[in-house]
Amino acid sequence: MTERKKPEELRSHRWYGVKDLRSFGHRSRTSQMGYHRSDYAGKPVIAIINTWSDINPCHSHFKQRVEEVKRGIWQAGGFPVEMPAISLSEPFQKPTTMLYRNLLAMECEELLRSYPADGCVLMGGCDKTTPALVMGAISMDLPAIFMPAGPMLRGDYKGEYLGSGSDTWKYWAELRAGNITEGDWQEVEDGIARSAGHCMTMGTASTMCSAMEVLGLTLPGASSIPAPDSRHSQMATLTGKRIVDMVWEDLKPSDILTAQSFDNAVTAVLALGGSTNSVVHLIALARRAGVALDLQRFDALARRTPVLANLRPSGKYLMEDFYYAGGLRAFLTQLGDLMDFGQLTCTGTTLGANIEGARVFNDDVIRPRSKALVESDGLAVLTGNLAPGGAVIKPAAMEPHLRKHTGPAVVFKDYNDMAARIDSPDLQVTKDSVIVLQSAGPQGAPGMPEWGQLPIPQKLLKEGVRDMLRISDARMSGTSYGACVLHVTPESHVGGPLGLLRDGDLISLDVDARRIDMQVSDEELAQRKAQWKQPAPKFTRGFGVLYLKHIQQADTGCDFDFLETEKKVEADGGEPEIH
Ligand code: FES
C-alpha cells in the first residue's frame, strides 16, 4: 500500500500549521471568511482553478460544477479553495485565444505556487484552456486532476444534426454559393449551440479533453460526458473526492506522464481523427513534462494508427453519439496493441484497469479495426523546401484527389489582403491553384490564429468546388476540414520560405511522400531572401511584447522559452523566500 502523507507534511502546513506571526494572519483571515479552524486544520487545501466567465459559453455551467467539485472535496476531508483564472473563450477572444494560452499556463502555475495549495482541480475544456491549465500544473507538479467541461448537445436544424464549427463552415459556403437563404442561415445560427459545454465535434476541445483522459489526468470516462448530463455533475463530485486522496498519496503529474503515456495520447488522438491543434499542444505539454515528443513521432504513430471514431469533421457523428456508443473508455478498448495500457493514471491504477468492462454499443460510431474509417494517416507531417521545420495536414479530412497535387500559388500577404481580394471576380484562380496565406504564424499574425482553412474563392464555390490545396503558417480549427497545409515552420514573419512565395510559383504536395515543396531554384530563393525585410513587430507594449520576445515556433509547441522544463522551480522547497 502506498505510504500516505502526514498532515504536517502538507505544503499548506507552512501557511496554516506553524506557530508564527505569518500563520496567525493566514488563520485569522480564513476565519474572516467564515471558516472554523476545524474546516481546514490538517486537511489538504485543494485549489480549484476555475475558468468560468460570463463570456465563455463553453464553461457557463462551471458556476454550478464548481459547487459539485467542492462537495466532493469536503466529503473526502479536504478544504476547497476556488481560484478563478483567465477564461480563454474561443468564440470571442481576438486575435486568437492561442495568444493567451501561455499566459493562462503561467497564471495557473503562479496561483499554485503563491497560495497554500496541496493539490488542484483544473476546470477547463474550451480549446486552449485545457493545455494551458495542464501545462501550468505540470510545471508546478503538485497532485492535479483535470475536470473536462464536457461537450454540448448536438445542434439541430430542420431535423438534422448540426456540428460545431464543421457545419458553420459548410453552411457558410452554401450561403456564399447562393444555395441557402439568409433565413436558413439564421436557423443554423439559432440551432447550432443548444447547451453549455464545449464544441461537440471532434474539434480541439474534444480532442484535448480526450487526450487528458488518455494521459491519465482525468477520471475514467470523464471527457465524453455531455456537459448538461447529470452524470457530468456526478463526475465533478467524484473528481473533487479523488484529488484529496491524490494529495495524501502524493500522486503528481511527474508520476503519471511518461514518453509512453504521450505515445498513448497521440495514438488516441489520431484514432479519434482529432484536431491538428493537438500537435502543438501535446508537444508543449510533453516538453513541460520533460518528454521529447516531436513532429516525427506524430508522423510515425500516424502511419500505424487507423481512424476509428466516426465523428465530424472526419466522419458523421457528434460527441453525444460517441458518449452513448460507450465513450472514450469503450473507444480505447478498440486500439488494443497500439496502446500501452500499463501506464499509471490519476486513479492510482493503470489505464488498462480504468477501461476494464467498457463496451461499444454502436459500432458505426466507434468502429472496430476491421471497419476503420481510414486505415492510417489521420494526420501527416510534411517537410520540404517550403517547410524545412515541418508542417501538418489532415489527410482524413480532405478530398483524396488532392493528396498529390501541383498548382500555381495565389499569394495573400496577410489576412486583410486575403479578406479584401478572395472573392474578387478578377482574382486569377482556378480549382488547381494553391491558395497561400503569409503572416499568420505565432509572431506574424500574431498568435497563430485558426485561419488555416482558407476560404475557397466565391467564383469557384459557384462552380461547385468544395476543396482545394491551401497553405499557411496558421493553425486550423479542429472542427475544420479540407486540404489545408498548416503550421508551416519556420513561419513567414521570421524569414521562412513561405514568406518568399510569389504568385504563380508552382507548389507540389505529395502526402504519401510527406513532401511540400515549391518549384523555385535555390538561387532564386537566395535572391528573394536577400531582398526580404522582416515586417515590424505587431506589439509595442503590454503582454504582446513579452509574447513576441519569447514565443517559440510551432514545431516545438509555441511555448515561451523561459517556461521550458529545465527552468522549472521545484514545487516543494524550491520557492523563493517571500514574506
Ligand atoms: Fe469553446 Fe469550441 S468554442 S470549445
Side-chain angles (χ1 to χ4, degrees):
M1 190 177 154
T2 329
E3 199 165 317
R4 290 168 76 86
K5 266 192 171 168
K6 298 181 180 59
E8 58 274 19
E9 292 171 338
L10 293 174
R11 188 169 172 269
S12 60
H13 182 78
R14 289 160 35 202
W15 275 261
Y16 283 125
V18 292
K19 291 191 189 322
D20 62 9
L21 184 62
R22 300 292 304 167
S23 61
F24 166 86
H26 302 143
R27 288 189 296 267
S28 67
R29 291 300 181 152
T30 305
S31 301
Q32 184 184 4
M33 293 185 281
Y35 294 109
H36 185 262
R37 183 176 294 208
S38 59
D39 285 329
Y40 61 84
K43 295 181 177 181
V45 176
I46 307 298
I48 308 171
I49 312 288
N50 188 356
T51 52
W52 173 87
S53 158
D54 256 341
I55 202 160
N56 193 336
C58 305
H59 297 178
S60 58
H61 55 317
F62 274 6
K63 258 190 177 174
Q64 174 67 32
R65 289 293 173 276
V66 75
E67 298 306 321
E68 292 152 354
V69 172
K70 286 178 187 173
R71 183 168 73 199
I73 294 170
W74 284 121
Q75 284 178 15
F79 181 51
V81 179
E82 184 180 353
M83 297 184 187
I86 180 174
S87 194
L88 308 180
S89 178
E90 196 64 30
F92 289 97
Q93 226 168 357
K94 290 185 188 298
T96 162
T97 51
M98 187 63 184
L99 187 66
Y100 300 106
R101 184 197 68 180
N102 298 346
L103 181 64
L104 175 56
M106 288 170 69
E107 187 184 11
C108 177
E109 182 178 346
E110 299 309 324
L111 282 172
L112 296 175
R113 174 169 296 122
S114 56
Y115 287 115
D118 294 306
C120 59
V121 176
L122 310 168
M123 294 179 62
C126 188
D127 284 22
K128 314 306 176 289
T129 58
T130 302
L133 291 168
V134 178
M135 284 162 74
I138 290 173
S139 292
M140 193 53 197
D141 205 26
L142 297 175
I145 191 164
F146 183 71
M147 199 215 79
M152 68 177 95
L153 299 176
R154 305 177 188 108
D156 171 65
Y157 168 67
K158 295 186 173 171
E160 294 197 9
Y161 296 144
L162 290 177
S164 313
S166 307
D167 281 308
T168 310
W169 324 129
K170 176 178 148 186
Y171 285 104
W172 177 239
E174 297 306 329
L175 182 72
R176 290 170 67 225
N179 295 336
I180 63 168
T181 66
E182 284 291 341
D184 296 328
W185 180 237
Q186 178 73 50
E187 282 188 51
V188 172
E189 183 177 310
D190 292 342
I192 199 164
R194 298 169 45 234
S195 77
H198 62 64
C199 291
M200 73 330 224
T201 39
M202 186 44 72
T204 304
S206 302
T207 303
M208 289 309 298
C209 290
S210 302
M212 293 310 103
E213 182 171 333
V214 177
L215 281 174
L217 298 174
T218 77
L219 288 183
S223 65
S224 314
I225 310 171
D229 196 301
S230 59
R231 287 165 285 191
H232 196 271
S233 297
Q234 295 164 28
M235 179 272 292
T237 301
L238 293 172
T239 299
K241 282 187 181 176
R242 177 62 198 145
I243 186 62
V244 177
D245 276 334
M246 286 174 70
V247 171
W248 291 125
E249 293 162 15
D250 200 24
L251 183 56
K252 305 181 296 299
S254 59
D255 301 313
I256 293 171
L257 301 174
T258 63
Q260 291 73 26
S261 65
F262 275 99
D263 271 3
N264 281 344
V266 173
T267 299
V269 162
L270 291 163
L272 286 165
S275 161
T276 46
N277 286 324
S278 66
V279 178
V280 177
H281 299 321
L282 284 171
I283 287 176
L285 285 158
R287 290 169 69 95
R288 290 278 185 121
V291 170
L293 180 64
D294 62 14
L295 286 176
Q296 293 313 323
R297 189 66 189 153
F298 271 85
D299 196 66
L301 294 172
R303 287 174 189 268
R304 68 170 206 188
T305 305
V307 178
L308 301 181
N310 191 2
L311 297 172
R312 296 182 211 182
S314 304
K316 176 176 169 192
Y317 297 99
L318 297 166
M319 286 302 286
E320 202 178 335
D321 306 297
F322 185 67
Y323 181 56
Y324 303 146
L328 190 73
R329 289 176 66 246
F331 178 78
L332 293 177
T333 63
Q334 305 299 297
L335 297 180
D337 59 357
L338 298 176
M339 300 285 286
D340 178 347
F341 288 117
Q343 294 300 303
L344 183 67
T345 73
C346 67
T347 57
T349 181
T350 61
L351 186 61
N354 291 349
I355 66 169
E356 244 167 54
R359 277 179 48 211
V360 174
F361 301 111
N362 182 334
D363 71 0
D364 191 36
V365 179
I366 298 175
R367 299 281 185 90
R369 280 161 78 170
S370 57
K371 277 173 53 189
L373 238 69
V374 183
E375 287 302 326
S376 65
D377 294 355
L379 189 124
V381 174
L382 311 169
T383 54
N385 71 354
L386 193 42
V392 301
I393 192 167
K394 198 171 177 181
M398 63 186 270
E399 289 188 8
H401 74 274
L402 292 166
R403 286 176 72 99
K404 188 164 182 168
H405 179 82
T406 297
V410 177
V411 179
F412 297 98
K413 67 179 171 27
D414 58 27
Y415 187 85
N416 290 339
D417 181 31
M418 183 179 73
R421 296 195 292 126
I422 190 78
D423 285 342
S424 164
D426 301 330
L427 189 70
Q428 298 293 309
V429 66
T430 72
K431 66 177 177 32
D432 296 324
S433 301
V434 181
I435 299 187
V436 175
L437 176 64
Q438 300 168 329
S439 287
Q443 298 219 15
M448 204 182 175
E450 293 182 339
W451 295 339
Q453 189 190 28
L454 310 179
I456 292 171
Q458 195 168 28
K459 63 183 180 188
L460 296 181
L461 283 174
K462 287 183 173 162
E463 289 170 18
V465 177
R466 290 293 181 271
D467 198 5
M468 59 192 296
L469 183 55
R470 292 159 272 178
I471 301 180
S472 73
D473 42 15
R475 294 174 302 114
M476 176 171 89
S477 164
T479 62
S480 300
Y481 48 84
C484 303
V485 177
L486 309 158
H487 310 186
V488 168
T489 304
E491 64 171 306
S492 58
H493 186 91
V494 300
L498 184 76
L500 307 178
L501 270 172
R502 293 181 184 167
D503 280 336
D505 289 343
L506 284 179
I507 296 176
S508 297
L509 168 72
D510 187 340
V511 171
D512 292 337
R514 301 296 200 259
R515 296 289 304 182
I516 182 74
D517 292 288
M518 53 196 210
Q519 295 178 18
V520 180
S521 69
D522 291 347
E523 297 73 36
E524 170 68 15
L525 278 179
Q527 266 185 22
R528 292 186 192 178
K529 186 72 192 272
Q531 291 163 4
W532 179 81
K533 286 197 184 61
Q534 183 164 29
K538 299 278 178 153
F539 294 111
T540 54
R541 69 171 307 281
F543 170 73
V545 172
L546 178 81
Y547 173 93
L548 290 179
K549 193 165 172 203
H550 296 287
I551 191 70
Q552 301 183 97
Q553 291 286 292
D555 58 333
T556 53
C558 294
D559 205 352
F560 288 157
D561 51 9
F562 62 90
L563 296 175
E564 291 276 291
T565 297
E566 68 270 19
K567 310 267 179 12
K568 188 170 87 174
V569 177
E570 288 300 316
D572 291 307
E575 293 150 90
E577 276 299 301
I578 300 171
H579 298 286

